[in-house]
Amino acid sequence: GPLGVRLIALTCEGQDFGLASRYVSEVALCPDPQDSGAFAQYLLSRAPGWHGALILDTEDVYTAALSRSKSQLEGSYFLLAPDWPAAETFLEKDRTAQVANAVGIPYPATYSAVTAATLEAHMDDYIFPVMLKPVHSQEFAGRFGRKLFVVQDKDELRSRFAEATAANQPVILQ
C-alpha cells in the first residue's frame, strides 16, 4: 500500500481477514478457492483490469489455490504465494513436523497418521490439553468452521477424533 502497489481483497464469503486492511483498494467476490481451477480462471478473466495487482494469501485455502496456479497467474499479478511443492509441505500439517525434525527445529510432540488404534495405544502419553489438527487445514476449516480442535480430556479426544474420522478428515495430534 505505502509503495503504491494496488491491493485487491478477494473473498468468497465477504468476511475474510484481509478485507480489513486500510490499503485494500477494491473488494471482489470470487469463486470458492477450494476449486482452484475456477478461482484461477476468475483471476485470469479479471487480469486486464487488475494487471500488476498484488494478491496476498491470508488463509491456507487461498495459498493453496494461488500456489497451484502460480505459473498461470504470475504474468498478470504479483503473488507472494510460494510455489506449490513448498506450499504443500506446510499446508499438509503432518509433513510440517517431518520438515522441522529434519532440520533440527524443536516442535511439540506430534503423533501423525492417527488411527483409532494408535490414539488408544498412546492415550496415557498425552498431556492435556492437546490439539487435534487437520492434515488438510482448508478442508477441515470448511467442514468444522475452525482450524483445529483443542481437547481437554480423553473422552473429548475420542469424541472429536470420531467427528474428524466421520468427516473423512485425517488428523495429527500435538
Side-chain angles (χ1 to χ4, degrees):
L3 300 175
V5 176
R6 186 172 177 199
L7 288 140
I8 300 166
L10 301 173
T11 180
C12 64
E13 298 175 353
Q15 7 177 352
D16 295 313
F17 173 76
L19 301 178
S21 172
R22 67 179 177 207
Y23 298 114
V24 169
S25 60
E26 183 178 343
V27 174
L29 189 61
C30 65
D32 187 332
Q34 289 188 45
D35 182 347
S36 59
F39 182 71
Q41 287 301 78
Y42 171 81
L43 290 175
L44 291 170
S45 75
R46 302 298 299 260
W50 291 352
H51 187 79
L54 172 64
I55 302 178
L56 300 171
D57 42 313
T58 58
E59 295 182 33
D60 287 354
V61 67
Y62 290 99
T63 301
L66 291 169
S67 293
R68 285 185 176 116
S69 305
K70 188 173 180 178
S71 63
Q72 294 173 277
L73 300 172
E74 61 189 355
S76 300
Y77 299 101
F78 290 103
L79 301 173
L80 296 181
D83 293 336
W84 179 241
E88 184 179 30
T89 298
F90 293 99
L91 291 173
E92 294 186 4
K93 303 307 182 202
D94 57 338
R95 295 176 68 186
T96 305
Q98 294 169 357
V99 171
N101 187 49
V103 297
I105 296 173
Y107 58 94
T110 302
Y111 300 85
S112 297
V114 178
T115 65
T118 60
L119 186 78
E120 290 299 330
H122 296 283
M123 193 63 78
D124 291 332
D125 298 336
Y126 308 140
I127 300 170
F128 291 90
V130 297
M131 296 182 295
L132 202 56
K133 297 173 71 173
V135 171
H136 306 286
S137 298
Q138 63 272 20
E139 294 170 17
F140 186 94
R143 173 73 169 92
F144 293 107
R146 60 178 64 181
K147 292 186 175 193
L148 55 90
F149 292 135
V150 176
V151 179
Q152 302 300 321
D153 58 44
K154 292 177 182 181
D155 290 335
E156 185 182 6
L157 178 57
R158 289 180 182 106
S159 174
R160 290 297 194 177
F161 178 77
E163 279 183 75
T165 301
N168 244 358
Q169 294 295 311
V171 292
I172 64 171
L173 185 97
Q174 288 187 322

